[in-house]
């Protein structure tokens, strides 16, 4: 039996896997079914080996044929793929050229939106400081905020207005905090200055008291010394003539008058120093009372501004919460509305095209995503 596969044409390939009596498999099976192997003799074993080789040769012929057919088909597939690549490139180039105006518009739109978003972010960033700012710094920042150039925010107008309002509220809150903090610092400085002034006044009072005491002691010492000199002069001059006694008494009286005058002047200087001390204490008391009134007024203003800032922040948070709830409700309404439209489109596809619900869902989602050219779902 000839088992060569060279007689099998390519048109016979679809029947090669069918083991019937009309093809190589059928013939081999028929021959082998009638063969009784005999391993007891050398001839029988050789015959078994011969049959096995025939099957192996037929297999290799079949493999070579299939390899040849596969290579031919691969050449065809390669040529087809090359043609498909050319077609794809041409269609891609045509698609890109047709879509270029839309692409340019989308790029410009993205740049426009980014510019607006950067502008809104810049407004929000104006409330940021590296450290606790002074009231002057916050006032300058508020002035900068209100001095921002006017621009057409388009659909970002509300977001920009909200960002501006929020930044303005927060900056005024920071301004109230800065003023309160500065009022506290000013109060501490006032108290320190008041204590320094009190110590200065006390030192001045003690200095003047010491000077007055020194003047009094000097006057007393001068008076005692004068009396001593007068007594000595009187003892010496008692033996002198009446005129000399009278002259000595007059001199003693003059000296007493001088000492009394100096003592009176010293007392007057001490009294003036005391009056000056009392006046200075009164001025210091009045200054302290005024500073206390100013501190209380500043504290009350700071508290009022702080309460106003807290209330403004509370109102801003409440407005933000209401806005977020409204936006969430709007998104939910949009989602429900889109789900209704997509559900109606899915039902129409199932009813009119006879496709399954799963396939209808895929088709609707592909259309909504823009994956099906020239087809849209209107919401």
């Amino acid at each position: 039996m000839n088992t060569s596969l060279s007689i099998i044409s390519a048109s016979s390939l679809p029947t090669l896997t069918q083991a019937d009596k009309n093809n190589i498999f059928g013939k081999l099976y028929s021959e082998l079914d009638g063969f009784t192997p005999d391993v007891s003799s050398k001839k029988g074993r050789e015959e078994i080996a011969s049959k096995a080789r025939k099957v192996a040769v037929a297999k290799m012929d079949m493999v070579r044929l299939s390899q040849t057919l596969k290579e031919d088909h691969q050449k065809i597939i390669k040529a087809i793929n090359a043609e498909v690549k050319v077609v794809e490139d041409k269609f891609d180039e045509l698609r890109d050229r047709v879509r270029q105006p839309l692409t340019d518009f989308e790029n410009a739109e993205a740049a426009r939106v980014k510019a607006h978003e950067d502008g809104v972010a810049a407004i929000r960033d104006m409330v940021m400081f590296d450290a606790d700012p002074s009231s002057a710094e916050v006032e300058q920042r508020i002035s900068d905020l209100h001095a921002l150039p006017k621009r057409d925010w388009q659909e970002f107008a509300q977001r920009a207005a909200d960002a501006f309002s929020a930044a303005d509220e927060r900056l005024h809150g920071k301004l109230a905090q800065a003023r309160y903090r500065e009022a506290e610092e000013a109060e501490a400085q006032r108290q320190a200055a008041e204590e320094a002034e009190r110590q200065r006044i006390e030192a001045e009072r003690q200095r003047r008291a010491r000077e007055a005491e020194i003047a009094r002691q000097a006057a007393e010492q001068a008076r005692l010394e004068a009396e001593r000199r007068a007594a000595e002069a009187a003892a010496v001059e008692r033996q002198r003539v009446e005129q000399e006694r009278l002259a000595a008494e007059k001199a003693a009286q003059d000296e007493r008058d001088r000492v009394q005058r100096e003592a009176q002047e010293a007392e007057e200087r001490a009294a003036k120093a005391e009056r000056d001390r009392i006046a200075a204490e009164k001025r210091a008391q009045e200054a302290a009372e005024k500073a206390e009134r100013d501190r209380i007024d500043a504290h009350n203003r700071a508290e009022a501004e702080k309460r106003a800032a807290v209330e403004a922040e509370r109102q801003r948070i409440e407005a933000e919460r209401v806005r977020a709830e409204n936006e969430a409700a709007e998104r939910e309404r949009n989602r429900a509305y889109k789900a209704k439209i997509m559900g109606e489109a899915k039902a129409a596809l199932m009813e009119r095209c006879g496709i399954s619900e799963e396939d209808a869902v895929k088709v609707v989602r592909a259309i909504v995503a823009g994956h099906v050219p020239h087809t849209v779902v209107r919401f």
Side-chain angles (χ1 to χ4, degrees):
M1 178 181 295
N2 184 5
T3 60
S4 174
L5 297 181
S6 62
I7 62 173
I8 302 176
S9 64
S11 61
S12 302
L13 187 59
T15 64
L16 292 178
T17 57
Q18 300 175 3
D20 58 47
K21 63 182 180 179
N22 295 322
N23 58 32
I24 186 61
F25 292 108
K27 294 175 181 179
L28 285 174
Y29 289 154
S30 297
E31 180 181 346
L32 293 175
D33 285 343
F35 172 66
T36 302
D38 179 12
V39 296
S40 62
S41 64
K42 181 179 179 182
K43 181 180 179 181
R45 291 192 294 274
E46 289 176 350
E47 188 177 7
I48 294 172
S50 176
K51 298 291 185 183
R53 281 195 298 274
K54 184 181 290 188
V55 174
V57 170
K59 183 199 75 170
M60 292 308 299
D61 289 342
M62 181 70 73
V63 169
R64 282 191 292 273
L65 175 60
S66 64
Q67 184 66 29
T68 299
L69 293 174
K70 183 170 69 174
E71 289 175 356
D72 293 341
H73 281 76
Q74 285 178 342
K75 291 178 182 178
I76 295 172
I77 292 172
K78 184 176 181 181
I80 292 173
N81 288 339
E83 290 295 328
V84 170
K85 180 66 169 59
V86 171
V87 171
E88 287 180 346
D89 290 344
K90 288 182 178 295
F91 273 100
D92 287 346
E93 187 275 333
L94 180 59
R95 177 203 62 201
D96 293 342
R97 179 153 51 87
V98 171
R99 197 185 189 282
Q100 189 62 45
L102 177 58
T103 301
D104 294 341
F105 170 79
E106 290 174 345
N107 292 337
E109 182 68 7
R112 182 187 66 82
V113 170
K114 185 177 185 302
H116 286 323
E117 290 176 343
D118 291 345
V120 173
I123 292 175
R124 292 172 176 166
D125 289 343
M126 293 192 75
V127 303
M128 305 303 295
F129 293 90
D130 293 335
D132 289 337
S134 66
S135 60
E137 291 174 330
V138 179
E139 288 172 350
Q140 182 60 49
R141 190 64 61 86
I142 292 174
S143 177
D144 293 342
L145 175 65
H146 286 271
L148 288 174
K150 302 298 182 182
R151 61 184 290 178
D152 182 7
W153 289 97
Q154 298 172 323
E155 73 273 23
F156 285 79
Q158 187 58 48
R159 286 179 59 184
D162 292 342
F164 183 92
S165 177
D168 188 60
E169 290 181 3
R170 292 188 62 185
L171 286 173
H172 277 87
K174 287 182 178 292
L175 177 61
Q177 295 173 356
R179 286 175 174 172
Y180 179 79
R181 183 173 61 254
E182 290 170 354
E184 291 292 323
E185 294 173 354
E187 173 61 15
Q189 294 174 357
R190 185 198 64 78
Q191 291 179 356
E194 181 179 315
E195 176 62 20
E197 180 64 16
R198 187 193 64 78
Q199 293 177 359
R200 186 193 66 77
I201 292 172
E202 177 62 20
E204 180 67 16
R205 186 192 64 79
Q206 292 178 359
R207 182 186 67 79
R208 291 177 178 178
R210 287 194 301 272
E211 290 178 352
E213 178 63 19
I214 291 172
R216 188 194 64 78
Q217 291 177 357
E220 180 66 16
Q221 183 66 27
R223 184 184 65 79
L224 294 175
E225 181 65 20
E227 289 179 352
R228 183 183 64 79
R229 289 197 301 269
E232 290 177 354
V236 172
E237 294 297 328
R238 271 194 295 269
Q239 297 175 1
R240 292 180 179 274
V241 294
E242 184 65 19
Q243 293 82 2
E244 293 177 345
R245 183 183 65 78
L246 293 175
E249 289 180 352
K250 183 178 183 300
Q253 182 63 41
D254 292 339
E255 184 65 14
R256 284 194 296 271
D257 291 340
R258 183 187 65 78
V259 170
Q260 184 177 3
R261 186 171 57 255
E262 289 178 351
Q264 183 176 0
E265 290 174 354
E267 289 177 356
E268 289 175 355
R269 287 196 299 272
K272 183 177 183 302
E274 181 63 17
R275 289 194 301 274
D276 292 342
R277 181 189 66 79
I278 293 172
E281 289 180 349
K282 182 177 180 181
R283 288 194 301 271
Q285 179 64 25
E286 290 175 352
E289 291 174 354
K290 182 179 184 302
E292 178 63 16
R293 289 193 301 272
D294 293 342
R295 184 191 69 80
I296 293 173
D297 291 341
H299 177 74
N300 291 338
R301 286 195 301 272
E303 285 294 322
E305 292 175 349
K306 182 178 179 182
R307 288 193 298 271
V310 170
E311 177 61 21
E313 182 65 12
R314 185 194 66 76
Q315 292 178 358
R316 184 191 67 78
I317 292 173
E318 177 63 18
E320 184 67 18
R321 182 189 65 78
V322 171
R323 183 185 63 78
E325 291 179 352
N326 291 337
E327 290 179 351
E330 181 63 21
R331 288 194 297 271
E332 180 59 24
R333 287 193 297 272
N334 289 339
R335 186 197 64 77
Y337 176 70
K338 289 182 178 180
K340 175 178 178 296
I341 297 301
M342 292 172 69
E344 292 174 354
K346 179 197 72 174
L349 287 171
M350 293 172 60
E351 178 182 352
R352 299 179 183 180
C353 299
I355 62 176
S356 66
E357 181 177 1
E358 181 180 359
D359 290 340
V361 170
K362 291 180 179 178
V363 170
V364 172
R365 288 180 176 173
I367 293 173
V368 172
H371 296 160
V372 181
H374 314 301
T375 308
V376 294
V377 174
R378 293 190 178 91
F379 293 106

